Amino acid sequence: MGNALGLLAQLPVKQFAYSDLPPMGGYEGEYVGFTAQDMVKIAPWAVNTQGDSGLPWQARYEFLNGLMVKAIQELERDVSTLRTQLVRAGVVPSV
């Protein structure tokens, strides 16, 4: 996986309500996150499509954890590289 940050950046963050489900504990109100329909295009391993059951798809956020950690590692690498360049250029003191 070479571009975890790029994959995460493709996931649109949306505000939504579970309008297709009857009110039940934990599923009422507005949410901010990813829809399963968007996630399946970018990270299909993180979506339970429920087969042919006709049930609503489920976004499995826990399956994005590894991708998020990899993205943080990529960001840390980039920050470290930029910090080194700034130190070499004399813009910031070395730490």
Side-chain angles (χ1 to χ4, degrees):
M1 178 162 311
N3 190 11
L5 187 59
L7 283 176
L8 286 176
Q10 292 178 54
L11 285 171
V13 178
K14 295 184 176 175
Q15 184 173 357
F16 59 91
Y18 290 100
S19 59
D20 56 346
L21 295 175
M24 50 201 241
Y27 290 102
E28 298 175 31
E30 294 285 321
Y31 292 86
V32 175
F34 311 120
T35 66
Q37 290 76 11
D38 289 332
M39 282 177 63
V40 77
K41 298 171 194 169
I42 312 302
W45 68 89
V47 177
N48 181 354
T49 60
Q50 309 281 0
D52 294 328
S53 69
L55 294 171
W57 289 6
Q58 295 176 330
R60 301 293 306 270
Y61 289 98
E62 69 271 23
F63 294 147
L64 294 177
N65 290 342
L67 187 65
M68 289 187 283
V69 169
K70 181 67 174 163
I72 292 167
Q73 292 169 343
E74 291 172 6
L75 287 171
E76 176 55 33
R77 183 198 64 226
D78 293 347
V79 167
S80 179
T81 299
L82 291 170
R83 183 180 297 124
T84 299
Q85 291 173 355
L86 290 172
V87 167
R88 286 182 182 156
V91 177
V92 297
S94 62
V95 181

